[in-house]
Amino acid sequence: MPPKLHSRQLLTIICEADLERQLVTELHLLGVRGHTITDARGQGAHGDRDALWPTSANIRIEVLCETPVLDAVLNILEESYFKSYGLVAFVSEVAVLRAEKF
Amino acid sequence: MPPKLHSRQLLTIICEADLERQLVTELHLLGVRGHTITDARGQGAHGDRDALWPTSANIRIEVLCETPVLDAVLNILEESYFKSYGLVAFVSEVAVLRAEKF
Amino acid sequence: MPPKLHSRQLLTIICEADLERQLVTELHLLGVRGHTITDARGQGAHGDRDALWPTSANIRIEVLCETPVLDAVLNILEESYFKSYGLVAFVSEVAVLRAEKF
């Protein structure tokens, strides 16, 4: 990794579009300093009680953060969202420029 | 990786929007259990016989899966799509919550 | 990594939509051979002099390349864009099919 790049966690959340305002507010309360949203559509596992994606619009939220903030966000997703909402979350390690922003 | 996270493959496919229905059907037949699509635009290598992106609309398909399903999908892409379509596919390893969904 | 897959760098840039034409031209001059753009929206760190995201529309640019091209692009972003624009850039290593395209 070149010296100008710094390791951060990239968290991607895919969920119902209706959750945008609530989830973004929660993310920033937990210490997230920036987010990016793209509109999406999709389909999840069929026949599950909590089918992952309804037919309504979805969004894809990306967040760059350090591990402590990531852990706090993952805990909230597990405790407060997974039971009630079709929501997918995955994490990858990325290298960022201007790491002081995240 | 925290205990609640599990390793999965994230496959991203970028292709012509017209391929959406056909490709999504194929993915699910191969064992993919969910997908996310965002509309995209772009441009590929010029002067290639199979120029990567036409001027028409593109889509970006994301799929989380385990290695056997990934391998099956990559084989189909190579055998049935790459010769006829401008299509880009790349894979990264990610850590997912609720891994039993994928 | 299966033999058909080859390691490449995936660079993601999130910036103001107004930068699209200029930045894409610059990327291709630096050796980038293809790019994908999705429309996005978001919010960056508040209170910073160079607030990351204005209220206007954003775009998310993805580029697959090898390390020398990546380094050239990162240098230009640092030298010519970061002071004037709210811009986020992050890199991850991915495995691509048809690596000769990138």
Side-chain angles (χ1 to χ4, degrees):
Chain A
M1 184 155 47
K4 68 179 76 170
L5 293 174
H6 302 269
S7 177
R8 285 293 180 280
Q9 308 291 320
L10 173 66
L11 169 65
T12 303
I13 301 169
I14 296 160
C15 66
E16 305 165 32
D18 291 347
L19 269 180
E20 177 169 336
R21 186 178 299 193
Q22 178 186 342
L23 194 49
V24 164
T25 301
E26 190 120 53
L27 291 173
H28 285 262
L29 286 174
L30 291 167
V32 165
R33 299 186 62 201
H35 69 273
T36 300
I37 295 179
T38 48
D39 291 316
R41 58 189 179 278
Q43 195 179 353
H46 289 297
D48 290 353
R49 204 174 52 174
D50 55 344
L52 290 186
W53 288 282
T55 52
S56 61
N58 299 324
I59 53 171
R60 187 181 183 280
I61 308 178
E62 284 177 307
V63 161
L64 288 165
C65 58
E66 292 192 85
T67 304
V69 170
L70 174 68
D71 288 345
V73 172
L74 294 180
N75 282 337
I76 289 284
L77 292 180
E78 257 200 332
E79 288 164 17
S80 308
Y81 287 87
F82 274 165
K83 281 173 195 155
S84 310
Y85 299 101
L87 188 146
V88 173
F90 57 90
V91 179
S92 59
E93 200 167 300
V94 299
V96 304
L97 277 173
R98 292 215 297 187
E100 73 279 6
K101 296 284 175 191
F102 308 107
Chain B
M1 187 156 44
K4 67 179 78 173
L5 293 174
H6 302 269
S7 177
R8 285 293 180 279
Q9 307 292 320
L10 172 67
L11 169 65
T12 304
I13 301 170
I14 296 159
C15 66
E16 304 165 33
D18 291 347
L19 269 180
E20 177 169 337
R21 187 179 299 192
Q22 178 186 340
L23 194 50
V24 164
T25 301
E26 190 120 53
L27 292 173
H28 285 262
L29 286 173
L30 291 168
V32 165
R33 299 186 62 201
H35 69 273
T36 301
I37 295 180
T38 48
D39 292 316
R41 58 189 178 278
Q43 195 179 353
H46 289 298
D48 290 353
R49 204 174 53 176
D50 56 345
L52 290 186
W53 288 281
T55 52
S56 62
N58 298 323
I59 53 171
R60 186 181 183 281
I61 308 178
E62 283 177 306
V63 160
L64 287 165
C65 59
E66 292 193 85
T67 304
V69 171
L70 174 68
D71 288 345
V73 173
L74 294 181
N75 282 337
I76 289 284
L77 292 181
E78 256 197 333
E79 287 164 16
S80 309
Y81 287 88
F82 274 164
K83 281 173 196 156
S84 310
Y85 299 100
L87 188 144
V88 173
F90 56 89
V91 179
S92 59
E93 201 167 300
V94 298
V96 304
L97 277 174
R98 293 213 298 186
E100 73 278 6
K101 296 283 175 191
F102 308 106
Chain C
M1 184 155 46
K4 67 179 79 172
L5 292 175
H6 303 269
S7 177
R8 285 293 180 280
Q9 307 293 320
L10 172 67
L11 169 65
T12 303
I13 301 169
I14 296 160
C15 66
E16 304 165 32
D18 291 346
L19 269 181
E20 177 170 338
R21 186 179 299 193
Q22 178 186 341
L23 194 50
V24 164
T25 301
E26 191 120 53
L27 292 173
H28 284 263
L29 286 174
L30 291 169
V32 165
R33 298 186 63 202
H35 69 272
T36 300
I37 295 180
T38 48
D39 292 316
R41 59 189 177 279
Q43 196 178 353
H46 290 297
D48 291 352
R49 206 173 53 175
D50 56 344
L52 291 186
W53 288 283
T55 54
S56 62
N58 300 322
I59 54 171
R60 187 181 181 281
I61 308 177
E62 283 177 306
V63 160
L64 288 165
C65 59
E66 292 192 86
T67 304
V69 171
L70 174 68
D71 288 346
V73 173
L74 294 181
N75 282 336
I76 289 285
L77 291 181
E78 256 200 331
E79 287 164 17
S80 308
Y81 287 87
F82 273 166
K83 281 174 193 153
S84 310
Y85 299 100
L87 188 145
V88 173
F90 56 89
V91 179
S92 59
E93 201 167 299
V94 299
V96 304
L97 278 174
R98 292 214 298 186
E100 73 280 5
K101 296 284 176 191
F102 308 105

PDB file of all heavy atoms in Angstrom, chain B residues 78-95:
ATOM      1  N   GLU B  78     -17.934 -16.806 -19.017  1.00  0.00           N
ATOM      2  CA  GLU B  78     -16.858 -17.023 -20.001  1.00  0.00           C
ATOM      3  C   GLU B  78     -17.367 -17.743 -21.239  1.00  0.00           C
ATOM      4  O   GLU B  78     -17.031 -17.387 -22.370  1.00  0.00           O
ATOM      5  CB  GLU B  78     -15.755 -17.875 -19.366  1.00  0.00           C
ATOM      6  CG  GLU B  78     -14.553 -17.061 -18.983  1.00  0.00           C
ATOM      7  CD  GLU B  78     -13.337 -17.951 -18.763  1.00  0.00           C
ATOM      8  OE1 GLU B  78     -13.502 -19.133 -18.409  1.00  0.00           O
ATOM      9  OE2 GLU B  78     -12.217 -17.455 -18.950  1.00  0.00           O
ATOM     10  N   GLU B  79     -18.173 -18.782 -20.999  1.00  0.00           N
ATOM     11  CA  GLU B  79     -18.577 -19.628 -22.125  1.00  0.00           C
ATOM     12  C   GLU B  79     -19.677 -19.003 -22.975  1.00  0.00           C
ATOM     13  O   GLU B  79     -19.704 -19.182 -24.190  1.00  0.00           O
ATOM     14  CB  GLU B  79     -19.057 -20.992 -21.592  1.00  0.00           C
ATOM     15  CG  GLU B  79     -17.909 -21.858 -21.092  1.00  0.00           C
ATOM     16  CD  GLU B  79     -18.411 -23.008 -20.225  1.00  0.00           C
ATOM     17  OE1 GLU B  79     -19.625 -23.306 -20.267  1.00  0.00           O
ATOM     18  OE2 GLU B  79     -17.595 -23.581 -19.473  1.00  0.00           O
ATOM     19  N   SER B  80     -20.606 -18.307 -22.337  1.00  0.00           N
ATOM     20  CA  SER B  80     -21.807 -17.883 -23.061  1.00  0.00           C
ATOM     21  C   SER B  80     -21.941 -16.387 -23.271  1.00  0.00           C
ATOM     22  O   SER B  80     -22.747 -15.955 -24.089  1.00  0.00           O
ATOM     23  CB  SER B  80     -23.058 -18.363 -22.313  1.00  0.00           C
ATOM     24  OG  SER B  80     -22.970 -19.731 -22.020  1.00  0.00           O
ATOM     25  N   TYR B  81     -21.200 -15.570 -22.540  1.00  0.00           N
ATOM     26  CA  TYR B  81     -21.454 -14.132 -22.628  1.00  0.00           C
ATOM     27  C   TYR B  81     -20.290 -13.321 -23.192  1.00  0.00           C
ATOM     28  O   TYR B  81     -20.507 -12.354 -23.909  1.00  0.00           O
ATOM     29  CB  TYR B  81     -21.846 -13.587 -21.257  1.00  0.00           C
ATOM     30  CG  TYR B  81     -23.236 -13.998 -20.846  1.00  0.00           C
ATOM     31  CD1 TYR B  81     -23.458 -15.202 -20.168  1.00  0.00           C
ATOM     32  CD2 TYR B  81     -24.339 -13.206 -21.155  1.00  0.00           C
ATOM     33  CE1 TYR B  81     -24.741 -15.586 -19.809  1.00  0.00           C
ATOM     34  CE2 TYR B  81     -25.622 -13.586 -20.805  1.00  0.00           C
ATOM     35  CZ  TYR B  81     -25.811 -14.780 -20.132  1.00  0.00           C
ATOM     36  OH  TYR B  81     -27.083 -15.157 -19.786  1.00  0.00           O
ATOM     37  N   PHE B  82     -19.074 -13.702 -22.835  1.00  0.00           N
ATOM     38  CA  PHE B  82     -17.953 -12.833 -23.175  1.00  0.00           C
ATOM     39  C   PHE B  82     -17.738 -12.665 -24.679  1.00  0.00           C
ATOM     40  O   PHE B  82     -17.247 -11.637 -25.125  1.00  0.00           O
ATOM     41  CB  PHE B  82     -16.666 -13.339 -22.530  1.00  0.00           C
ATOM     42  CG  PHE B  82     -16.486 -12.835 -21.125  1.00  0.00           C
ATOM     43  CD1 PHE B  82     -15.578 -13.424 -20.263  1.00  0.00           C
ATOM     44  CD2 PHE B  82     -17.221 -11.751 -20.659  1.00  0.00           C
ATOM     45  CE1 PHE B  82     -15.406 -12.948 -18.978  1.00  0.00           C
ATOM     46  CE2 PHE B  82     -17.064 -11.268 -19.368  1.00  0.00           C
ATOM     47  CZ  PHE B  82     -16.150 -11.872 -18.539  1.00  0.00           C
ATOM     48  N   LYS B  83     -18.084 -13.684 -25.436  1.00  0.00           N
ATOM     49  CA  LYS B  83     -17.856 -13.553 -26.878  1.00  0.00           C
ATOM     50  C   LYS B  83     -18.870 -12.629 -27.527  1.00  0.00           C
ATOM     51  O   LYS B  83     -18.585 -11.978 -28.524  1.00  0.00           O
ATOM     52  CB  LYS B  83     -17.893 -14.934 -27.544  1.00  0.00           C
ATOM     53  CG  LYS B  83     -16.582 -15.693 -27.336  1.00  0.00           C
ATOM     54  CD  LYS B  83     -16.667 -17.114 -27.828  1.00  0.00           C
ATOM     55  CE  LYS B  83     -15.515 -17.940 -27.248  1.00  0.00           C
ATOM     56  NZ  LYS B  83     -15.819 -19.365 -27.212  1.00  0.00           N
ATOM     57  N   SER B  84     -20.070 -12.586 -26.981  1.00  0.00           N
ATOM     58  CA  SER B  84     -21.152 -11.838 -27.642  1.00  0.00           C
ATOM     59  C   SER B  84     -21.451 -10.484 -27.012  1.00  0.00           C
ATOM     60  O   SER B  84     -22.064  -9.634 -27.647  1.00  0.00           O
ATOM     61  CB  SER B  84     -22.441 -12.672 -27.617  1.00  0.00           C
ATOM     62  OG  SER B  84     -22.196 -13.974 -28.079  1.00  0.00           O
ATOM     63  N   TYR B  85     -21.036 -10.301 -25.787  1.00  0.00           N
ATOM     64  CA  TYR B  85     -21.452  -9.082 -25.088  1.00  0.00           C
ATOM     65  C   TYR B  85     -20.262  -8.359 -24.475  1.00  0.00           C
ATOM     66  O   TYR B  85     -19.298  -8.974 -24.050  1.00  0.00           O
ATOM     67  CB  TYR B  85     -22.445  -9.423 -23.976  1.00  0.00           C
ATOM     68  CG  TYR B  85     -23.704 -10.080 -24.460  1.00  0.00           C
ATOM     69  CD1 TYR B  85     -23.862 -11.456 -24.361  1.00  0.00           C
ATOM     70  CD2 TYR B  85     -24.720  -9.327 -25.040  1.00  0.00           C
ATOM     71  CE1 TYR B  85     -25.010 -12.069 -24.822  1.00  0.00           C
ATOM     72  CE2 TYR B  85     -25.878  -9.929 -25.503  1.00  0.00           C
ATOM     73  CZ  TYR B  85     -26.022 -11.297 -25.393  1.00  0.00           C
ATOM     74  OH  TYR B  85     -27.152 -11.896 -25.854  1.00  0.00           O
ATOM     75  N   GLY B  86     -20.373  -7.026 -24.430  1.00  0.00           N
ATOM     76  CA  GLY B  86     -19.416  -6.244 -23.661  1.00  0.00           C
ATOM     77  C   GLY B  86     -19.765  -6.392 -22.196  1.00  0.00           C
ATOM     78  O   GLY B  86     -20.821  -5.923 -21.762  1.00  0.00           O
ATOM     79  N   LEU B  87     -18.917  -7.047 -21.445  1.00  0.00           N
ATOM     80  CA  LEU B  87     -19.270  -7.426 -20.078  1.00  0.00           C
ATOM     81  C   LEU B  87     -17.996  -7.437 -19.238  1.00  0.00           C
ATOM     82  O   LEU B  87     -16.968  -7.952 -19.671  1.00  0.00           O
ATOM     83  CB  LEU B  87     -19.892  -8.822 -20.137  1.00  0.00           C
ATOM     84  CG  LEU B  87     -20.534  -9.409 -18.906  1.00  0.00           C
ATOM     85  CD1 LEU B  87     -21.754 -10.239 -19.288  1.00  0.00           C
ATOM     86  CD2 LEU B  87     -19.553 -10.283 -18.143  1.00  0.00           C
ATOM     87  N   VAL B  88     -18.067  -6.848 -18.073  1.00  0.00           N
ATOM     88  CA  VAL B  88     -16.938  -6.841 -17.140  1.00  0.00           C
ATOM     89  C   VAL B  88     -17.360  -7.576 -15.880  1.00  0.00           C
ATOM     90  O   VAL B  88     -18.484  -7.401 -15.411  1.00  0.00           O
ATOM     91  CB  VAL B  88     -16.529  -5.388 -16.794  1.00  0.00           C
ATOM     92  CG1 VAL B  88     -15.472  -5.352 -15.710  1.00  0.00           C
ATOM     93  CG2 VAL B  88     -16.038  -4.665 -18.035  1.00  0.00           C
ATOM     94  N   ALA B  89     -16.472  -8.409 -15.341  1.00  0.00           N
ATOM     95  CA  ALA B  89     -16.786  -9.136 -14.107  1.00  0.00           C
ATOM     96  C   ALA B  89     -15.576  -9.117 -13.188  1.00  0.00           C
ATOM     97  O   ALA B  89     -14.461  -9.408 -13.621  1.00  0.00           O
ATOM     98  CB  ALA B  89     -17.183 -10.579 -14.421  1.00  0.00           C
ATOM     99  N   PHE B  90     -15.819  -8.752 -11.928  1.00  0.00           N
ATOM    100  CA  PHE B  90     -14.716  -8.824 -10.966  1.00  0.00           C
ATOM    101  C   PHE B  90     -15.223  -9.293  -9.607  1.00  0.00           C
ATOM    102  O   PHE B  90     -16.389  -9.138  -9.269  1.00  0.00           O
ATOM    103  CB  PHE B  90     -13.948  -7.497 -10.857  1.00  0.00           C
ATOM    104  CG  PHE B  90     -14.771  -6.292 -10.507  1.00  0.00           C
ATOM    105  CD1 PHE B  90     -14.995  -5.944  -9.187  1.00  0.00           C
ATOM    106  CD2 PHE B  90     -15.292  -5.489 -11.497  1.00  0.00           C
ATOM    107  CE1 PHE B  90     -15.733  -4.816  -8.853  1.00  0.00           C
ATOM    108  CE2 PHE B  90     -16.041  -4.360 -11.181  1.00  0.00           C
ATOM    109  CZ  PHE B  90     -16.261  -4.029  -9.867  1.00  0.00           C
ATOM    110  N   VAL B  91     -14.302  -9.859  -8.850  1.00  0.00           N
ATOM    111  CA  VAL B  91     -14.640 -10.548  -7.601  1.00  0.00           C
ATOM    112  C   VAL B  91     -13.813  -9.976  -6.459  1.00  0.00           C
ATOM    113  O   VAL B  91     -12.618  -9.716  -6.638  1.00  0.00           O
ATOM    114  CB  VAL B  91     -14.321 -12.060  -7.734  1.00  0.00           C
ATOM    115  CG1 VAL B  91     -14.641 -12.789  -6.428  1.00  0.00           C
ATOM    116  CG2 VAL B  91     -15.063 -12.670  -8.911  1.00  0.00           C
ATOM    117  N   SER B  92     -14.434  -9.785  -5.309  1.00  0.00           N
ATOM    118  CA  SER B  92     -13.645  -9.467  -4.121  1.00  0.00           C
ATOM    119  C   SER B  92     -14.195 -10.240  -2.933  1.00  0.00           C
ATOM    120  O   SER B  92     -15.359 -10.627  -2.914  1.00  0.00           O
ATOM    121  CB  SER B  92     -13.655  -7.966  -3.839  1.00  0.00           C
ATOM    122  OG  SER B  92     -14.959  -7.512  -3.651  1.00  0.00           O
ATOM    123  N   GLU B  93     -13.324 -10.482  -1.978  1.00  0.00           N
ATOM    124  CA  GLU B  93     -13.757 -11.198  -0.792  1.00  0.00           C
ATOM    125  C   GLU B  93     -14.280 -10.184   0.214  1.00  0.00           C
ATOM    126  O   GLU B  93     -13.624  -9.179   0.490  1.00  0.00           O
ATOM    127  CB  GLU B  93     -12.578 -11.981  -0.203  1.00  0.00           C
ATOM    128  CG  GLU B  93     -13.029 -13.104   0.694  1.00  0.00           C
ATOM    129  CD  GLU B  93     -11.897 -14.070   1.009  1.00  0.00           C
ATOM    130  OE1 GLU B  93     -11.337 -14.663   0.069  1.00  0.00           O
ATOM    131  OE2 GLU B  93     -11.571 -14.197   2.201  1.00  0.00           O
ATOM    132  N   VAL B  94     -15.467 -10.442   0.732  1.00  0.00           N
ATOM    133  CA  VAL B  94     -16.043  -9.525   1.710  1.00  0.00           C
ATOM    134  C   VAL B  94     -16.481 -10.317   2.931  1.00  0.00           C
ATOM    135  O   VAL B  94     -16.533 -11.553   2.913  1.00  0.00           O
ATOM    136  CB  VAL B  94     -17.253  -8.752   1.126  1.00  0.00           C
ATOM    137  CG1 VAL B  94     -16.840  -7.894  -0.055  1.00  0.00           C
ATOM    138  CG2 VAL B  94     -18.374  -9.707   0.740  1.00  0.00           C
ATOM    139  N   ALA B  95     -16.806  -9.585   3.990  1.00  0.00           N
ATOM    140  CA  ALA B  95     -17.305 -10.203   5.223  1.00  0.00           C
ATOM    141  C   ALA B  95     -18.757  -9.794   5.385  1.00  0.00           C
ATOM    142  O   ALA B  95     -19.060  -8.595   5.360  1.00  0.00           O
ATOM    143  CB  ALA B  95     -16.477  -9.723   6.410  1.00  0.00           C
TER     144      ALA B  95
END
